[in-house]
Amino acid sequence: MIRLTLRSLRAEALRMLLSALAVVLGVAFIAGTLIFVDGMRAGAYERAGTFDRHTDLGVYPSGDRPLAAALVDRVRAVDGVAAAAGELTGTGGVVGSDGRPVLGFAVLAAIPTEPALRSYDVVAGRLPDRAGEVVLDAPTVAQEGFTLGGPVRVGGTGGAARPYTLVGTVDVADTARDVGGPFIGLVGADALAVTGGRGYGRIMVAAAPGVDATALAARVAAVAGTGSTVKGRQQILDEAVDDAVRSLEQFNMVLLMFAGIAVVVAGFVIANTFAIVLAQRTRRTALLRLVGATRGQVFRATLLESAVVGLAASTVGVVIGVALAVGMNALLSRLDTPVSGGLTVTTPTVLTGLLLGTGLTVGAALLPAWRGTRVAPVAALTDAAVQPGRGAGRLRLALGAVVLAAGVAALVGAAPAGQVVLVAVGGVLAFLGIVLFGPVLVPALVRLLGWPVRWMVGATAGLAVANAVRNPRRVAATAAALVIGIGLVSAFVVGARSTKDGIERSVDAQIGVDFVVTGIGADLPAPLAGELAARPELGVVHEQRSAVTDDVEVRAAHPALIGRTLTGVLAGDVGRLGPGQVLVHRELAEVRGWHVGDPVTVRGRPFRVAAVIADDTAEMVATGVPAGHVVDMVDADFGALFPDRRGFLAEVDPAAGVSGQRARDAIEAVLARYPTVNLMDQGAYKKMLTGTVDMLLAFVTALLGLAVVIALVGVANTLSLSVVERTRENAVLRAVGLTRGRMRAMLAVEAVLMALVGAVLGVGLGTGVSAAAMALLARLGGDFHVVLPLGQLGLLLGVAVLAALLASVLPARRALSRPVVEALGDQ
């Protein structure tokens, strides 16, 4: 049986080609992901601790409060300490040689002045030794044309940019401080001043030669006090590795999740392939049974065949996965991304790819192989080519209907129940219901969608519809593979468009001005709002700030802007908002029993309630306080209560009679001194907020694209094998007058109907899942509604139709390649 199985496999290798391609693509995705991430992980291990080459101990804050600068001197004075320096990392900005901020997120770090703690690789010049000196990364210096000894203007949250002397360039490529933008290195005091920091993120300690590290750690801990933690060198390095690898593991899990989706789709394709092929071998199987082969031998022979196909396809997939990892590394290098890694091909990765592909193929073939041995030998000697496909059993259809109804119910009930898990459960159950109920649902949709085609094309389309629904299980399995990929893509497309629409509505409701000034990766510099307000061209300047005290959110408000978000004024006069007068939101007033004119105390300072208001606008940023527990006060009062609190956004409107361009010029004149802020109008601000959604959608669509491709391979595979099965039937049609062109049209319509039904079901399922998710978000407080991007959904359907047309080309060529007389004699 083994020899016979291998001979049969060689003779019918072409029949397994497309199903093997599905395995190749799935294994290549997984192997490429593992190899790529392994290379990045190896690079992360090498780079971990780059800036701690000479650090023996580290003092870290136990909570959120930074370490005071004065603590550095006390640690330095500890017996056995050779050097100690405070370190912080934050963000800053560099003003380029053209007077504009250098693009990209800039990392700013405090560089130790003690030689014993310096771990930076100097490219040219030296590291800063005193205040007023700066080092930059070498690429930024080359790009901007800066020269050593010349001035470079650096600014941040702490204030406007000021000139520093460039004393050197450093190489931080492929380290944690390379995030694609400039790197700025200053001495500790300057770093604190530029970032506006109140202390250091840690204190690095170098031990004197021969000092016991454990004893030194104990002495340093005694000096540092209870608000800090002392870590040894090995712990510092271990945590650096953990931090570097943790993000890689998350990235790896995301990629593998999408790879798993592709593998599941491939499983549908493989199972359908073996079901078709074994049905076509019915007579051969019967002959084997008649000459003495047992059901067990036939079953094991089929599994052997699937194992050989799976192993061969997996081997090719692993090789392609290596090439894919090489290509990804080359692409990232060309794009100058801060993520990099070498090529690391490990034995576990290769074995994982081989075992996964082989196991998937064998597992998918189990049920078809078992079914293929159930036919009685004598009954199987009939002509299988003209036998109609057996429909699904009543139990399966009943179970499918129940599961589908349960999935729909879970999606509908997710929002009222406020449970996110119901959205996921509902989507999975709905898909399983489609799979189980597919032998009834899919043929019905094929007939429905085929009706207008029959009307337009005629009898040829009628033949295509009849062929497509001839075997309900087969067409249902083919469509189910497409439902997975297109359903997920549709869910993300609808969800992304709905999310963007919600974000844009929130901006319209909360931003009522012409211009918006935002911080780049940090809060706005402290003096910025005051400088903008001093310009006569600007009428309204309001920095959005908030703080939480006594379980109440206190917000800075501007009298000219407060009315834009109000749902209503329940009592009092909003116009009385001013010094000493606050607006209290309805929910807080009800809980505290506050009324208009009542005295209230906020952080120890007395105020009076000017009005009780209702504001049902959804918050763009969660604050952690109960809904409606909000007090609004004017900027001056807020600044007096929370002098250190900064905002990330300022709203600006032109003064009366000032044109928008004059106002923009005035704002830009102020912002020229602040390289960590950005000026946008409302449209640009919306685009910035929704840009992340677009990037995420593009990323997800690209990853799910492989699953869709594999599903379309399944359409081509089903059609191709069906053509082989209907060789004599097609020959009869050609003999009675069906032209070559109409034969091609018949197969094209059949492929399009299979793909279109899968795509329509996928779009429906994805839209339903997104609708449930948006309803849940709306119930939880967001301003979200379902928005159908008809153009994008139509494009999905169009791509499915076009791909199906292309998939029909080779089967049509095969159907027409044999002479009619020869095909009529096919057995």
Side-chain angles (χ1 to χ4, degrees):
M1 286 296 292
I2 294 177
R3 188 176 302 173
L4 178 62
T5 300
L6 296 178
R7 287 179 178 176
S8 175
L9 183 58
R10 285 196 298 269
E12 298 179 345
L14 290 178
R15 296 193 185 189
M16 294 293 183
L17 183 61
L18 287 177
S19 61
L21 178 59
V23 179
V24 167
L25 294 176
V27 171
F29 194 169
I30 289 181
T33 297
L34 293 175
I35 293 169
F36 177 65
V37 174
D38 283 344
M40 294 173 61
R41 185 182 292 110
Y45 277 109
E46 293 175 1
R47 295 189 296 270
T50 299
F51 303 103
D52 285 303
R53 298 170 191 163
H54 310 299
T55 304
D56 295 311
L57 297 175
V59 182
Y60 295 80
S62 298
D64 296 332
R65 300 176 65 88
L67 300 174
L71 181 60
V72 177
D73 293 330
R74 297 204 302 271
V75 171
R76 188 182 292 120
V78 172
D79 182 35
V81 171
E87 184 187 60
L88 66 86
T89 55
T91 183
V94 178
V95 179
S97 54
D98 59 355
R100 298 178 177 274
V102 177
L103 297 179
F105 184 86
V107 173
L108 185 147
I111 295 182
T113 56
E114 293 88 343
L117 286 170
R118 288 182 164 179
S119 299
Y120 286 84
D121 295 324
V122 178
V123 176
R126 59 176 176 81
L127 296 176
D129 291 325
R130 59 188 63 86
E133 297 180 340
V134 65
V135 293
L136 300 176
D137 61 293
T140 297
V141 171
Q143 175 186 330
E144 296 297 324
F146 295 140
T147 58
L148 295 183
V152 174
R153 295 169 62 201
V154 176
T157 305
R162 51 153 289 192
Y164 291 83
T165 302
L166 181 64
V167 296
T169 60
V170 294
D171 178 14
V172 296
D174 299 330
T175 69
R177 295 175 188 180
D178 175 22
V179 295
F183 170 79
I184 307 167
L186 300 167
V187 298
D190 285 346
L192 289 172
V194 171
T195 61
R198 293 172 295 167
Y200 293 109
R202 68 168 180 164
I203 298 174
M204 304 187 310
V205 178
V211 174
D212 181 73
T214 304
L216 179 60
R219 292 196 295 271
V220 170
V223 171
T226 56
S228 60
T229 302
V230 177
K231 300 177 182 179
R233 175 175 177 77
Q234 193 58 49
Q235 184 180 359
I236 294 172
L237 296 179
D238 290 343
E239 291 182 357
V241 170
D242 290 341
D243 289 341
V245 173
R246 187 180 301 113
S247 58
L248 289 179
E249 295 299 338
Q250 295 171 351
F251 180 62
N252 188 34
M253 289 300 298
V254 170
L255 292 181
L256 289 180
M257 179 181 67
F258 287 100
I261 294 170
V263 168
V264 170
V265 174
F268 275 90
V269 174
I270 297 163
N272 205 26
T273 298
F274 274 96
I276 297 171
V277 169
L278 292 176
Q280 294 171 358
R281 292 179 184 171
T282 301
R283 298 184 66 185
R284 183 189 308 175
T285 302
L287 289 172
L288 289 173
R289 296 288 307 281
L290 285 174
V291 297
T294 65
R295 289 181 61 181
Q297 287 178 311
V298 174
F299 180 74
R300 288 190 294 271
T302 302
L303 295 188
L304 174 61
E305 183 178 356
S306 65
V308 173
V309 172
L311 182 60
S314 301
T315 302
V316 177
V318 170
V319 173
I320 295 178
V322 174
L324 182 64
V326 172
M328 285 295 295
N329 281 325
L331 177 63
L332 292 177
S333 297
R334 183 176 294 273
L335 295 177
D336 291 329
T337 60
V339 180
S340 64
L343 183 66
T344 304
V345 182
T346 63
T347 300
T349 296
V350 174
L351 291 178
T352 298
L354 295 178
L355 292 176
L356 178 66
T358 305
L360 171 69
T361 310
V362 173
L366 282 173
L367 184 59
W370 177 71
R371 285 176 176 168
T373 61
R374 297 177 63 193
V375 181
V378 176
L381 291 176
T382 57
D383 191 349
V386 296
Q387 292 179 354
R390 190 165 54 89
R394 294 182 179 179
L395 178 61
R396 170 177 172 172
L397 295 179
L399 182 61
V402 171
V403 172
L404 181 59
V408 173
L411 292 175
V412 173
Q419 296 294 323
V420 177
V421 69
L422 284 181
V423 177
V425 171
V428 172
L429 290 178
F431 169 71
L432 292 177
I434 290 173
V435 172
L436 294 172
F437 200 65
V440 170
L441 180 61
V442 173
L445 289 175
V446 169
R447 293 187 181 96
L448 179 63
L449 296 177
W451 179 82
V453 182
R454 285 198 300 268
W455 181 76
M456 291 185 292
V457 180
T460 302
L463 289 172
V465 172
N467 286 334
V469 301
R470 175 183 299 183
N471 192 313
R473 287 186 174 184
R474 182 181 303 176
V475 70
T478 303
L482 264 175
V483 171
I484 298 175
I486 292 186
L488 289 170
V489 172
S490 300
F492 279 101
V493 166
V494 175
R497 185 65 192 90
S498 302
T499 301
K500 290 173 61 177
D501 186 75
I503 292 173
E504 290 171 353
R505 284 198 303 271
S506 295
V507 172
D508 290 335
Q510 297 190 25
I511 306 296
V513 294
D514 291 347
F515 299 104
V516 173
V517 177
T518 62
I520 302 175
D523 290 335
L524 296 174
L528 178 61
E531 292 187 23
L532 289 172
R535 297 292 302 226
E537 300 92 342
L538 306 179
V540 173
V541 176
H542 170 57
E543 181 180 358
Q544 288 190 357
R545 293 176 290 173
S546 66
V548 175
T549 179
D550 192 24
D551 207 24
V552 174
E553 181 188 5
V554 182
R555 300 192 308 202
H558 195 288
L561 301 176
I562 188 64
R564 70 183 184 274
T565 61
L566 297 186
T567 306
V569 180
L570 305 182
D573 181 9
V574 176
R576 293 175 55 196
L577 175 64
Q581 300 282 331
V582 298
L583 306 180
V584 178
H585 289 229
R586 173 183 53 202
E587 293 82 356
L588 179 61
E590 292 174 352
V591 170
R592 302 286 177 92
W594 291 346
H595 301 88
V596 174
D598 286 351
V600 298
T601 301
V602 180
R603 213 179 191 190
R605 180 175 173 181
F607 293 90
R608 286 199 175 273
V609 178
V612 177
I613 61 175
D615 181 1
D616 298 329
T617 305
E619 291 284 348
M620 295 180 66
V621 179
T623 59
V625 302
H629 283 225
V630 180
V631 170
D632 293 314
M633 60 180 60
V634 293
D635 289 326
D637 286 343
F638 184 92
L641 291 180
F642 306 97
D644 297 328
R645 183 72 61 172
R646 302 261 57 84
F648 68 93
L649 181 146
E651 302 169 271
V652 184
D653 247 351
V658 176
S659 66
Q661 187 57 50
R662 280 187 59 199
R664 175 181 285 274
D665 293 341
I667 299 171
E668 289 179 345
V670 175
L671 299 192
R673 301 174 53 239
Y674 294 94
T676 59
V677 297
N678 191 23
L679 170 64
M680 291 175 283
D681 56 24
Q682 269 209 35
Y685 184 57
K686 291 178 182 178
K687 189 173 182 180
M688 181 195 75
L689 294 178
T690 59
T692 302
V693 178
D694 290 331
M695 290 177 59
L696 179 61
L697 177 61
F699 176 71
V700 169
T701 303
L703 293 179
L704 289 174
L706 182 61
V708 176
V709 169
I710 293 175
L712 291 171
V713 167
V715 173
N717 188 45
T718 300
L719 190 62
S720 180
L721 294 174
S722 297
V723 164
V724 174
E725 187 177 76
R726 300 196 300 257
T727 299
R728 293 178 63 189
E729 180 181 324
N730 291 336
V732 171
L733 290 173
R734 291 171 62 193
V736 298
L738 188 70
T739 64
R740 298 174 69 89
R742 287 189 174 274
M743 175 66 74
R744 292 190 180 93
M746 181 183 72
L747 294 174
V749 171
E750 183 178 353
V752 166
L753 288 175
M754 285 192 291
L756 193 57
V757 168
V760 168
L761 287 173
V763 168
L765 178 61
T767 301
V769 171
S770 287
M774 292 302 111
L776 178 61
L777 289 176
R779 185 183 183 280
L780 295 177
D783 185 16
F784 293 99
H785 306 283
V786 177
V787 178
L788 295 180
L790 298 180
Q792 291 173 290
L793 295 179
L795 180 61
L796 275 177
L797 297 178
V799 168
V801 169
L802 180 60
L805 289 174
L806 294 176
S808 70
V809 172
L810 289 179
R813 182 178 298 176
R814 182 169 188 173
L816 296 170
S817 62
R818 299 177 67 181
V820 174
V821 176
E822 179 184 334
L824 285 171
D826 184 76
Q827 296 296 323

